[in-house]
Amino acid sequence: AQSVTQLDSQVPVFEEAPVELRCNYSSSVSVYLFWYVQYPNQGLQLLLKYLSGSTLVKGINGFEAEFNKSQTSFHLRKPSVHISDTAEYFCAVSDLWGAQKLVFGQGTRLTINP
Amino acid sequence: GAVVSQHPSWVICKSGTSVKIECRSLDFQATTMFWYRQFPKQSLMLMATSNEGSKATYEQGVEKDKFLINHASLTLSTLTVTSAHPEDSSFYICSASLGQGQETQYFGPGTRLLVL
């Protein structure tokens, strides 16, 4: 079984500042890793995913994440945030085989202040 | 591409009635669809996985007789909340994937259910 821990429930940041949202996972098997964003009263939008290959993954809206197998982490970063990045961010994992069920972290509320 | 819709987006019903929520993949065929439930300020919890033409697989603790799932075609899955009660009020989100070996899930916009 897998589990995901997002270490920060809320992250306030000033506009144009860099941000890092932390995600650690636990799994006895190899996994796929995902970051999703959820705007208020909406479903989830895929930001980026790690399947294999390069450990630095670039996604939409200027976000990127780095897979670190030894630290079992998949932290999300953006060098300069905008007001429009205010949203809830979810880290998720699924195993490589079986039913591709996603296990989500608790979410991190990113608030961008002007 | 990979757009998933849900209908309705909002529903208010009386306690004891049943509510049906539709999930459609608009531009692809979804062999597998997933239903999640999200309480306010919480994460998504998987309720069940459905594969086209077969019975849904429910997660532990989810009542299959209360949350009826039908995946009758490759583009449509429905979730029926039977005899709804106020504690069933929640945000229900579906997702769809191309099936085995296709790791990415595409999410619908969600349906907010309020049971009075």
Side-chain angles (χ1 to χ4, degrees):
Chain A
Q2 295 86 39
S3 67
V4 179
T5 302
Q6 290 182 242
L7 298 161
D8 306 294
S9 59
Q10 297 186 60
V11 174
V13 180
F14 286 109
E15 194 173 15
E16 297 184 6
V19 69
E20 178 180 82
L21 305 183
R22 296 180 293 170
C23 172
N24 285 91
Y25 69 94
S26 173
S27 176
S28 57
V29 299
S30 295
V31 295
Y32 295 134
L33 294 153
F34 305 82
W35 274 99
Y36 285 89
V37 60
Q38 184 180 34
Y39 298 102
N41 297 311
Q42 294 186 29
L44 275 66
Q45 180 181 4
L46 180 66
L47 274 178
L48 48 80
K49 60 185 177 184
Y50 173 79
L51 306 180
S52 65
S54 173
T55 57
L56 182 63
V57 180
K58 292 190 184 297
I60 63 171
N61 300 342
F63 284 94
E64 64 180 32
E66 185 157 19
F67 170 58
N68 188 317
K69 188 174 182 179
S70 62
Q71 297 186 6
T72 59
S73 68
F74 190 54
H75 300 333
L76 180 71
R77 302 186 185 99
K78 186 170 182 177
S80 176
V81 296
H82 302 283
I83 293 285
S84 58
D85 292 323
T86 295
E88 190 85 20
Y89 292 79
F90 291 97
C91 181
V93 302
S94 70
D95 59 24
L96 270 64
W97 311 106
Q100 285 87 43
K101 293 193 291 187
L102 281 173
V103 175
F104 285 89
Q106 301 90 327
T108 297
R109 175 72 182 171
L110 176 62
T111 303
I112 310 302
N113 298 307
Chain B
V3 179
V4 177
S5 70
Q6 279 184 245
H7 178 79
S9 55
W10 265 97
V11 57
I12 302 173
C13 69
K14 293 182 179 180
S15 185
T17 60
S18 294
V19 174
K20 179 183 284 188
I21 302 170
E22 293 186 349
C23 176
R24 293 182 184 272
S25 57
L26 299 184
D27 53 0
F28 67 103
Q29 293 187 323
T31 304
T32 306
M33 287 185 169
F34 304 83
W35 286 95
Y36 296 85
R37 185 172 180 176
Q38 185 181 31
F39 290 104
K41 300 187 187 301
Q42 294 188 29
S43 189
L44 281 74
M45 298 299 295
L46 180 65
M47 299 174 65
T49 303
S50 73
N51 291 292
E52 186 266 339
S54 62
K55 289 185 178 180
T57 302
Y58 290 81
E59 294 300 299
Q60 192 172 8
V62 177
E63 300 176 58
K64 60 181 66 177
D65 293 330
K66 180 166 187 60
F67 298 100
L68 300 179
I69 291 172
N70 187 314
H71 192 163
S73 77
L74 286 171
T75 59
L76 174 65
S77 176
T78 60
L79 168 68
T80 301
V81 183
T82 62
S83 186
H85 288 94
E87 57 266 29
D88 298 323
S89 298
S90 190
F91 194 48
Y92 292 88
I93 306 176
C94 74
S95 71
S97 78
L98 294 171
Q100 192 73 16
Q102 301 299 319
E103 71 291 333
T104 302
Q105 292 183 27
Y106 301 95
F107 285 80
T111 296
R112 189 162 300 282
L113 170 63
L114 177 61
V115 184
L116 302 176

